[in-house]
């Protein structure tokens, strides 16, 4: 996979926000390195003010890095030709107040789409996000969740190779979240790359191949989602035919006793179960949730700066 | 560029509509007034209504980027295959089109009311061309300042930039009015009378077009270095 060109790559990117009035600066990104491979779903996590949106805005060319550089689809950040192959959904997306089918055509035309295909694609993306019955309605009359769906639709208009989604499900109901999840998974099946920034860790855990955690402008953890969730420290042993009193911290439920023990103690605990006449039902490495991993690596998080979250 | 221009005009449809009410007022007076007797009053009103649009072009140009950034709608536009200079070109064209709509309506009404009073109709349209050129330049200067200033400061800076040559033309030499020819073009409208409806001087119009291109280039250069996702203030 590393032989293929990266879909998105940050190379030692730093970004400082200056304040003319106070002559102070805030470092939003600090020597940030990241490589997103083609065809993967990449989860981008971090507490408020960690610099996630800043990184995305630099990639899209909305901001210039103070130091460092990067590439998107093989072109330098900010390249308009590269953006033609990218779909972007901003956090708190804002759209013009007009009929949503015409709005889709407007955004498609900005990406040099035209002809009969434009209207056809507009109908197609509105169907994909479940807004086909609202196509003639003014987006100004939409609820926040519907605006977010329309925002996702405009990001899909050009059938992008790279989809950058900043909090795509924050305003959505559970049904719509499932729909977005399926959209993301089907996009990957079609060979697209998805860069997903979200606070909804359960969503990220479900769909992402790899995850990076950003904290105070620095990358503090990155890896395959399955590897991050796998704890190498502990094992859960489930046994029957014994009582939980024999093992400190064991939990008994429906005749099964569950013990979470360090891997180094696994063999001795299993032998003890057998000595007591019990039977081992299962031995599994303990899996953590992404939330646990997130809390662990951002444990020293301070309250966000007043201008954080940019 | 055309899409962004059209979109700008669409977004500004209510201010344009309010502006057009002034033209309606002139049309109404044309209906009820005794045109030959009140022709000087009609010309005064025509000139007054005409120069409003220059002030509005500064308002349109100075607030265009700010409004888009504040609403965050600019992100969805610039996330597409749109370069910053194309975006600015669209806004310049949008501001000019918005003002041209007004000038066209005023030209129609002026041709009818002033034409009936003896003012040459062709001269009415020449004055409208002068106004559109003045609006295009004034709007572009305001747009340039708005790439790094908030709308109020951008409007102030624009007024200063357009006002200094005008003051110099009044106090030092008339030629200063051509440095940034908004005042020269506006004066062509303001100084027209039934006796002397103005000369068809195209030089300031051409100069305004050239300077618009120059200010657009400067604006594009500045705007390409601006972080647009950060609050303006």
């Amino acid at each position: 996979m590393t032989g293929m060109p990266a879909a998105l790559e940050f190379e030692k990117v730093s970004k400082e926000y200056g304040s003319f009035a106070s002559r102070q600066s805030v470092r939003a990104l600090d020597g940030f390195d990241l490589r997103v491979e083609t065809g993967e779903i990449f989860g981008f996590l971090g507490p408020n003010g960690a610099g996630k949106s800043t990184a995305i805005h630099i990639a899209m060319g909305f901001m210039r890095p103070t130091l460092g550089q990067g590439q998107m689809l093989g072109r330098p950040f900010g390249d308009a030709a590269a953006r033609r192959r990218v779909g972007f959904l901003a956090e708190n997306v804002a759209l013009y107040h007009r009929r949503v089918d015409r709005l889709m055509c407007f955004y498609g035309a900005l990406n040099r789409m035209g002809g009969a295909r434009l209207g056809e694609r507009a109908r197609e993306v509105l169907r994909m996000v479940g807004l086909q019955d609202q196509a003639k309605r003014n987006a100004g009359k939409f609820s926040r969740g519907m605006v977010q769906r329309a925002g996702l639709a405009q990001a899909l208009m050009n059938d992008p190779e790279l989809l950058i989604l900043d909090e795509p499900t924050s305003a959505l109901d559970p049904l719509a979240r499932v729909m977005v999840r399926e959209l993301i998974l089907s996009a990957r099946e079609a060979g697209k790359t998805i860069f997903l920034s979200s606070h909804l860790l359960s969503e990220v855990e479900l769909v992402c191949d790899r995850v990076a955690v950003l904290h105070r402008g620095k990358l503090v953890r990155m890896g395959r989602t399955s590897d991050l969730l796998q704890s190498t420290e502990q094992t859960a042993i489930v046994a029957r035919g014994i009582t939980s009193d024999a093992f400190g911290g064991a939990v008994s439920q429906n005749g099964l006793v569950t013990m979470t023990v360090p891997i180094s103690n696994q063999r001795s605990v299993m032998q003890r179960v057998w000595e007591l006449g019990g039977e081992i039902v299962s031995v599994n490495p303990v899996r953590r949730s992404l939330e646990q991993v997130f809390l662990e690596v951002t444990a020293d998080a301070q309250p966000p700066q007043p201008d954080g979250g940019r | 560029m055309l899409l962004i221009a059209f979109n700008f005009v669409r977004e500004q449809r209510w201010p344009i509509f309010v502006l057009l009410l002034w033209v309606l007022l002139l049309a109404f007076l044309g209906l009820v007034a005794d045109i030959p007797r009140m022709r000087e009053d009609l010309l005064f009103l025509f000139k007054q209504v005409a120069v409003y649009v220059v002030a509005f072009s500064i308002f349109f140009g100075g607030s265009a980027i700010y409004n888009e950034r504040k609403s965050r709608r600019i992100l969805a536009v610039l996330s597409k295959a749109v370069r910053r200079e194309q975006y600015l070109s669209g806004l310049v064209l949008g501001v000019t089109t918005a003002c041209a709509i007004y000038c066209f309506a005023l030209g129609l009404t002026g041709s009818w009311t002033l034409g009936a009073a003896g003012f040459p109709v062709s001269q009415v349209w020449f004055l409208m061309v002068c106004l559109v050129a003045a609006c295009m330049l004034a709007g572009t200067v305001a747009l340039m300042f708005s790439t790094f200033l908030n709308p109020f400061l951008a409007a102030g800076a624009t007024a200063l930039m357009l006002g200094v040559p005008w003051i110099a033309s009044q106090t030092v030499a008339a030629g200063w009015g051509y440095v940034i020819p908004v005042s020269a073009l506006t004066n062509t409208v303001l100084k027209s009378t039934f006796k002397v409806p103005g000369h068809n001087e195209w030089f300031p119009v051409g100069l305004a077009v050239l300077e618009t291109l120059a200010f657009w280039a400067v604006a594009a250069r500045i705007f390409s270095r601006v972080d647009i996702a950060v609050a303006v203030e």
Side-chain angles (χ1 to χ4, degrees):
Chain A
M1 223 176 192
T2 47
M4 294 175 72
L8 187 61
E9 190 169 17
F10 293 83
E11 295 167 35
K12 307 222 176 304
V13 171
S14 295
K15 178 67 185 175
E16 281 187 13
Y17 294 110
S19 167
F20 183 75
S22 63
R23 295 190 180 189
Q24 286 181 336
S25 62
V26 176
R27 182 161 281 207
L29 284 177
D30 189 1
F32 176 61
D33 282 309
L34 186 70
R35 186 182 159 94
V36 178
E37 304 294 347
T38 303
E40 70 176 340
I41 304 179
F42 194 94
F44 195 41
L45 310 175
N48 291 332
K52 303 187 298 295
S53 291
T54 298
I56 290 172
H57 288 167
I58 287 173
M60 291 303 298
F62 302 152
M63 290 180 179
R64 291 157 62 94
T66 310
L67 286 171
Q69 58 184 354
Q71 295 183 345
M72 186 164 70
L73 298 175
R75 306 294 294 251
F77 285 160
D79 183 85
R83 282 202 299 266
R84 192 175 174 186
R85 296 149 60 203
V86 174
F88 172 66
L89 172 64
E91 187 182 9
N92 300 323
V93 62
L95 305 170
Y96 293 106
H97 293 182
R98 72 176 65 163
R99 257 175 60 168
V100 74
D101 54 349
R102 290 181 184 162
L103 195 58
M104 293 306 121
C105 291
F106 169 71
Y107 286 120
L110 287 178
N111 265 331
R112 314 273 195 278
M113 295 172 73
R117 175 77 188 123
L118 188 59
E120 200 178 290
R121 179 65 183 166
R123 284 188 292 277
E124 197 176 319
V125 293
L126 288 174
R127 195 166 48 247
M128 285 161 84
V129 300
L131 286 180
Q132 68 273 24
D133 297 333
Q134 313 291 333
K136 309 278 184 230
R137 276 188 68 194
N138 189 314
K141 306 259 190 296
F142 277 7
S143 68
R144 198 169 156 235
M146 288 163 82
V147 169
Q148 199 156 22
R149 287 189 201 203
L152 185 59
Q154 64 80 27
L156 295 166
M157 267 302 286
N158 55 337
D159 192 19
E161 291 169 40
L162 169 64
L163 198 49
I164 298 180
L165 306 174
D166 197 356
E167 300 290 351
T169 55
S170 58
L172 299 183
D173 59 43
L175 275 175
R177 278 182 195 170
V178 171
M179 175 209 70
V180 171
R181 192 191 309 154
E182 283 170 359
L183 259 177
I184 289 173
L185 290 170
S186 63
R188 180 182 54 185
E189 300 245 320
K192 320 286 185 194
T193 309
I194 297 103
F195 188 72
L196 173 65
S197 171
S198 177
H199 280 123
L200 290 169
L201 302 179
S202 54
E203 293 289 333
V204 173
E205 193 175 326
L206 279 171
V207 298
C208 290
D209 302 307
R210 286 199 303 148
V211 169
V213 183
L214 191 67
H215 182 36
R216 292 179 175 170
K218 290 186 174 178
L219 196 63
V220 288
R221 188 67 63 90
M222 185 169 71
R224 296 198 65 77
T225 314
S226 53
D227 295 342
L228 288 177
L229 300 181
Q230 185 105 25
S231 165
T232 52
E233 308 292 320
Q234 299 206 298
T235 305
I237 301 172
V238 180
R240 64 179 161 216
I242 55 168
T243 60
S244 58
D245 305 341
F247 301 90
V251 177
S252 177
Q253 195 175 23
N254 300 330
L256 297 175
V257 176
T258 305
M259 296 150 280
T260 304
V261 299
I263 282 181
S264 54
N265 292 353
Q266 180 183 314
R267 180 178 292 270
S268 60
V269 171
M270 288 167 70
Q271 275 177 344
R272 177 106 176 100
V273 170
W274 288 322
E275 281 165 17
L276 292 170
E279 182 189 346
I280 302 290
V281 176
S282 66
V283 180
N284 286 306
V286 171
R287 273 177 66 87
R288 296 176 295 175
S289 68
L290 196 55
E291 188 175 75
Q292 283 171 306
V293 176
F294 181 83
L295 291 174
E296 192 182 294
V297 297
T298 60
D300 62 334
Q302 299 292 314
Q305 303 277 333
D307 53 353
R310 290 187 293 191
Chain B
M1 192 175 89
L2 290 174
L3 278 169
I4 291 164
F6 176 76
N7 188 57
F8 175 84
V9 174
R10 192 190 175 281
E11 290 300 305
Q12 299 297 333
R13 60 195 182 280
W14 291 113
I16 294 170
F17 177 75
V18 171
L19 260 176
L20 289 174
L21 292 179
W22 287 104
V23 181
L24 267 183
L25 174 70
L26 185 67
F28 176 74
L29 284 177
L31 273 178
V32 297
D34 178 359
I35 291 178
R37 197 168 60 83
M38 294 181 66
R39 65 180 210 161
E40 291 300 332
D41 294 329
L42 280 173
L43 181 61
F44 174 76
L45 187 67
F46 173 80
K47 290 193 283 189
Q48 192 181 16
V49 169
V51 292
Y52 284 164
V53 74
V54 179
F56 264 85
S57 70
I58 296 173
F59 162 75
F60 284 140
S63 60
I65 294 174
Y66 176 85
N67 290 340
E68 290 291 285
R69 285 175 68 178
K70 196 176 177 195
S71 67
R72 296 172 63 86
R73 289 169 179 166
I74 194 171
L75 297 184
V77 174
L78 288 183
S79 68
K80 305 293 183 283
V82 178
R83 293 196 305 274
R84 300 263 183 117
E85 61 267 28
Q86 287 177 317
Y87 181 73
L88 280 183
S89 309
L91 292 183
V92 169
L93 191 61
V95 170
T96 307
T97 307
C99 295
I101 289 169
Y102 177 85
C103 291
F104 179 71
L106 186 64
L108 282 179
T109 315
S111 300
W112 166 48
T113 53
L114 298 180
F119 198 91
V121 171
S122 62
Q123 194 61 22
V124 170
W125 288 108
F126 173 72
L127 295 180
M128 291 306 103
V129 170
C130 289
L131 265 187
V132 172
C135 291
M136 182 171 67
L137 179 54
T140 307
V141 172
L143 193 67
M144 181 199 73
F145 282 118
S146 76
T147 57
F148 58 95
L149 294 173
N150 77 33
F152 292 110
L153 291 176
T158 306
L160 197 68
M161 188 155 220
L162 304 183
V164 168
W166 178 74
I167 291 168
S169 71
Q170 302 294 310
T171 55
V172 184
W176 280 95
Y178 292 95
V179 172
I180 296 176
V182 173
S183 60
L185 290 163
T186 311
N187 274 340
T188 308
V189 178
L190 288 176
K191 289 187 174 167
S192 57
T193 62
F194 280 97
K195 279 184 185 165
V196 187
H199 306 289
N200 283 8
E201 198 187 353
W202 289 95
F203 172 67
V205 176
L207 191 60
V209 173
L210 287 177
E211 288 194 12
T212 298
L213 288 172
F215 279 110
W216 165 81
V218 175
R221 179 83 180 156
I222 298 169
F223 194 49
S224 68
R225 297 176 169 275
V226 170
D227 287 348
I228 58 158
V230 181
V232 190
E233 291 89 349

